[in-house]
Amino acid sequence: MAFFQAALDTKEAPYPYQTRLATESWPELLDIPTGLGKTAAVVLAWLYKRRNADPGTPRRLVYCLPMRVLVEQTHDNIVDWLKRLNCFADTAEGKGISVHRLMGGEADARSWVEYPEKDMILIGTQDMLLSRALMRGYGMSRYRWPIDFALLHNDALWVFDEIQLMGAGLPASTQLEAFRRRTDMPGGAKSLWVSATLNRQWFNSIDLRPHLDSLQSLTLSEQEKQGQAVSKRREAVKPLRQAEAMLDAETRKGGAKAYLDALTENILEAHSGDAPTLVILNNVQRCQGLYEKLAKQLKGQTNAPELLLVHSRFRQAERT
């Protein structure tokens, strides 16, 4: 408990499932609702087991994600946790746990292979990681393919997170796991698939099918579901309603100024302050205009809510 609290800088006790993940043998499936700390559970369970010399825990944690933004977010969180536990290493040769990002445009795609004896965490997009696991690594010399291939199939715990977004990467991951089981790799490699909407039939690929019924799943117990912290998230009310402000011929005049003024008032009245408020419009220009009006109204207020503007027009740097 103290280990988990120190890593997350919290006084809250870990959820029981997080404790079970750290103290019991690794499952293949982690089926836990959103908002209950799955990433922290997996990473800290791996670290706890490595610290306690658990023979069933590989030295390399390979965290595979479907999108770049998830890689960046996960990387930053893990680095923070390791620093709080005083076990973070800036480089693979350092003393501690090094963290390496593998995604397009990153320079750190090679240093980790030079220290195969070190405990480390690899975080990457599925294209970068799965291509290496298939010995066809993107953005690297073909003469290095066998090295990455060997290290990713030996002494490695593969964690596939947000698998509902993986597309063709998901059956590829199940086939790789089936091949490892068939060949009985001497170094030991495991797979853990993580999702809040997990469906066992997703793993019904041709070669993993014989193992489908034996895949162990870790889920919330009925007692955990009734706990206050868990039920608050699982049963949270998310009301949806149409704004009173209407866009018509009259309110559309002058760049829809009257409409945006009325909508701004609707939003500020509806926002409770203890939960996010999502506002959805179908026009980028009006979305930008609403953001500006809300920012003007909230300027200078104490404890003003944070405003985030999300739309389909990106800057050039964000398109790469």
Side-chain angles (χ1 to χ4, degrees), residues 60-74:
R60 279 178 290 279
L61 178 63
V62 184
Y63 214 101
C64 182
L65 291 155
M67 295 186 294
R68 290 177 61 95
V69 65
L70 295 176
V71 172
E72 293 165 346
Q73 174 185 322
T74 302

Side-chain angles (χ1 to χ4, degrees), residues 265-298:
E265 294 302 321
N266 289 169
I267 294 167
L268 294 177
E269 290 174 5
H271 182 66
S272 64
D274 58 355
T277 298
L278 305 180
V279 184
I280 303 173
L281 293 89
N282 64 356
N283 180 287
V284 173
Q285 187 175 1
R286 286 196 291 270
C287 188
Q288 294 170 327
L290 178 63
Y291 176 86
E292 292 172 357
K293 287 185 177 294
L294 284 169
K296 185 177 180 179
Q297 287 272 21
L298 295 171

Side-chain angles (χ1 to χ4, degrees), residues 98-289:
S98 57
V99 184
H100 306 266
R101 285 194 297 200
L102 280 79
M103 59 183 188
E106 289 288 326
D108 186 19
R110 180 172 181 175
S111 64
W112 66 275
V113 303
E114 298 172 357
Y115 298 89
E117 77 284 4
K118 294 290 189 76
D119 287 9
M120 61 179 61
I121 300 174
L122 310 178
I123 311 169
T125 49
Q126 62 181 20
D127 56 341
M128 297 292 281
L129 288 172
L130 289 177
S131 65
R132 283 161 169 74
L134 292 166
M135 209 158 74
R136 290 295 184 273
Y138 291 160
M140 60 185 297
S141 166
R142 65 171 55 206
Y143 300 107
R144 281 190 49 219
W145 287 351
I147 301 174
D148 289 49
F149 175 84
L151 294 178
L152 290 174
H153 288 295
N154 288 275
D155 217 358
L157 171 62
W158 279 81
V159 179
F160 301 97
D161 203 352
E162 303 294 353
I163 59 175
Q164 71 277 7
L165 303 176
M166 285 183 64
L170 179 55
S173 71
T174 63
Q175 285 295 97
L176 287 170
E177 173 62 20
F179 296 156
R180 286 194 293 266
R181 293 186 179 208
R182 181 184 299 175
T183 55
D184 191 24
M185 303 294 284
K190 301 176 183 291
S191 294
L192 173 62
W193 291 277
V194 181
S195 177
T197 57
L198 195 144
N199 185 335
R200 187 175 284 264
Q201 287 304 309
W202 292 346
F203 309 96
N204 192 23
S205 62
I206 185 67
D207 289 293
L208 194 62
R209 189 170 300 151
H211 306 282
L212 188 61
D213 293 336
S214 65
L215 296 179
Q216 297 298 309
S217 178
L218 192 154
T219 61
L220 295 178
S221 66
E222 288 303 318
Q223 184 177 0
E224 286 177 273
K225 292 177 182 178
Q226 301 305 318
Q228 182 177 0
V230 173
S231 61
K232 180 180 179 180
R233 287 168 172 77
R234 293 183 70 243
E235 301 169 10
V237 177
K238 304 177 182 67
L240 175 65
R241 71 186 192 192
Q242 183 175 340
E244 296 177 6
M246 299 295 292
L247 186 65
D248 53 29
E250 186 63 29
T251 58
R252 194 185 296 270
K253 295 177 181 178
K257 181 179 183 301
Y259 167 70
L260 293 177
D261 287 340
L263 185 57
T264 299
E265 294 302 321
N266 289 169
I267 294 167
L268 294 177
E269 290 174 5
H271 182 66
S272 64
D274 58 355
T277 298
L278 305 180
V279 184
I280 303 173
L281 293 89
N282 64 356
N283 180 287
V284 173
Q285 187 175 1
R286 286 196 291 270
C287 188
Q288 294 170 327

